Amino acid sequence: QVQLVESGGGLVQAGGSLRLSCAASGSIFSINTMAWYRQASGNERELLATITSGESTNYADSVKDRFTILRDNAKNTVFLQMNSLKPEDTAVYYCKISTANRWGYVTAYWGKGTLVTVSS
């Protein structure tokens, strides 16, 4: 099995920055796409950013030009650098990775979430 451990959440003032990390461990043959989502209270989970194994990235319009997704393949880790944070960025942030085994079977795993609170 694969475990994901997220870190880096916390309280920050509007305009500030945070860097989230999500480290994967366990039985990993290869990692395909890595992604960050968030879920604000009362809202559905929202896809924020994805990064492929070839390091192609995509962003939601709500975070484009403010957030950057990065990955360190040697450490099976994905990062989310968040700049110019706004109160509306307050949410629980989740990482998700898609792994493939040696036969190409794909499995998705979720982290447990880390809370980001942006004060005005």
Side-chain angles (χ1 to χ4, degrees):
Q1 294 301 315
V2 175
Q3 296 80 41
L4 301 183
V5 177
E6 296 149 333
S7 60
L11 175 64
V12 64
Q13 289 189 331
S17 298
L18 282 175
R19 184 179 176 94
L20 305 182
S21 300
C22 173
S25 62
S27 181
I28 298 173
F29 181 74
S30 68
I31 298 178
N32 297 338
T33 301
M34 309 177 90
W36 286 96
Y37 290 70
R38 70 184 178 192
Q39 188 167 18
S41 180
N43 290 359
E44 294 185 351
R45 193 167 295 190
E46 173 190 14
L47 174 61
L48 300 178
T50 61
I51 184 166
T52 68
S53 57
E55 304 204 11
S56 294
T57 59
N58 274 292
Y59 296 93
D61 288 342
S62 58
V63 303
K64 194 175 295 184
D65 300 326
R66 296 190 300 125
F67 291 9
T68 302
I69 188 169
L70 304 160
R71 63 190 285 168
D72 182 337
N73 292 324
K75 296 182 179 180
N76 291 334
T77 300
V78 61
F79 304 95
L80 187 67
Q81 178 65 43
M82 305 186 294
N83 299 328
S84 302
L85 284 161
K86 307 174 182 179
E88 51 263 44
D89 293 319
T90 295
V92 178
Y93 285 69
Y94 299 89
C95 63
K96 176 185 174 184
I97 69 166
S98 298
T99 66
N101 63 16
R102 64 187 66 194
W103 299 282
Y105 184 79
V106 176
T107 305
Y109 296 92
W110 288 89
K112 294 183 178 181
T114 184
L115 178 63
V116 172
T117 304
V118 184
S119 63
S120 57

